[in-house]
Amino acid sequence: MPSKTVFAAEMPWPDYDAAVRDGDTPILIPFGSMEQHGHHMPLHVDVLLPTEFARRAAGQIGGLVAPPFTYGYKSQQKCGGGNHLPGTTSLDGATLVNALKNLITEFARHGVRRFALVNGHYENSWFITEGVDLALKELRWDRVEGVKVVVLSYWDFVNDETIARLYPGGFPGWAVEHGGVLETSLMLALHPELVQLERALDHPPATFPPYDVYPVKAEWTPASGTLSSPKEASAGKGEILLEVCTAGIVGALKAEFA
C-alpha cells in the first residue's frame, strides 16, 4: 500500500518515484539553522518552524516535504544576535549555495519540476537566491525544462491586522524579533515542551548603530541572546500565526503551481 506521509524521506523509493516522476508533485524544502534563541528555547527553532509550515502546506497542495537544511548561514548581530554566541553553528555561504544547487539538481533528476523553499532563518535569504540561480543555470545546460522554484519566508505572510493583534503595545519591528514574541508564540503552540518561558529575560528591544563592525562587538547584543522580550508570547498568539501564515503559504503555492 502506498505511503500516506508527506515526508519524502519516510517513503519507500517506489512510492516516491511514482509520486514525483511526472513533475506534478511539488517538493517543499525547509531551510533552517542551528542558532541560539535565548535562554528559553532550543537551538533548532529555525528548523522546527519552517518544517511545520512545509508539512501543513504540503498536505493541502499535494506536495512532499524534503529533509530540512538544519544548518544555515552565519547569524548576523542585528537580526540574529550574532555568530559569536555559543550554540550558533553555521555554514559558509559558498557551502550553503553549493548544497542547495546540488539538492535542486538531484530532485530534478528524479523528475521534480516544482520546488518551494520554506525559509525559517533570515540570513539564509541571499544564499538561497544564489543556489537557486546556479541550479537553474545548470539544469538549462542539461536541457532540463519546466523547473519552477518559489522562495518564501513564513513571517512575510504576517499582515498588519495580525501584527496589531499580536502586539497591542506596539510592534518593535522584524529586525529585532529574534527569539521574541513571534517565534516563542509559535513554539508554544507547536512544541510547548521545548519552551521554558520562565527562563526568558525581559528587556527592551535591542538598538544598534547604522553600521556593522567585524569582529562583532559582543556588548551590542543583549545578554539574553534575544533581540526583544518574549514575555508577551502565548500559545494563542502562536495559533493565530499558524493560521495566517499557513493560509498565505498555501495561497501562494496554489497560485504559482496552478
Side-chain angles (χ1 to χ4, degrees), residues 235-251:
K237 291 181 178 181
E239 293 293 345
I240 293 171
L241 288 162
L242 285 170
E243 180 180 350
V244 169
C245 296
T246 299
I249 292 169
V250 169

Side-chain angles (χ1 to χ4, degrees), residues 123-143:
E123 289 91 329
N124 288 338
S125 300
W126 297 115
F127 301 94
I128 291 174
T129 300
E130 181 71 358
V132 169
D133 183 62
L134 294 180
L136 293 178
K137 285 181 181 178
E138 186 169 309
L139 291 169
R140 285 195 295 269
W141 293 336
D142 291 339
R143 294 181 171 82

Side-chain angles (χ1 to χ4, degrees), residues 212-234:
D212 298 297
V213 174
Y214 299 97
V216 298
K217 292 185 174 182
E219 63 270 20
W220 284 3
T221 301
S224 65
T226 62
L227 299 186
S228 59
S229 174
K231 285 294 189 177
E232 298 301 317
S234 69

Side-chain angles (χ1 to χ4, degrees), residues 38-51:
H39 294 199
H40 65 295
M41 289 199 295
L43 298 171
H44 64 336
V45 168
D46 288 353
V47 178
L48 294 175
L49 298 183
T51 299

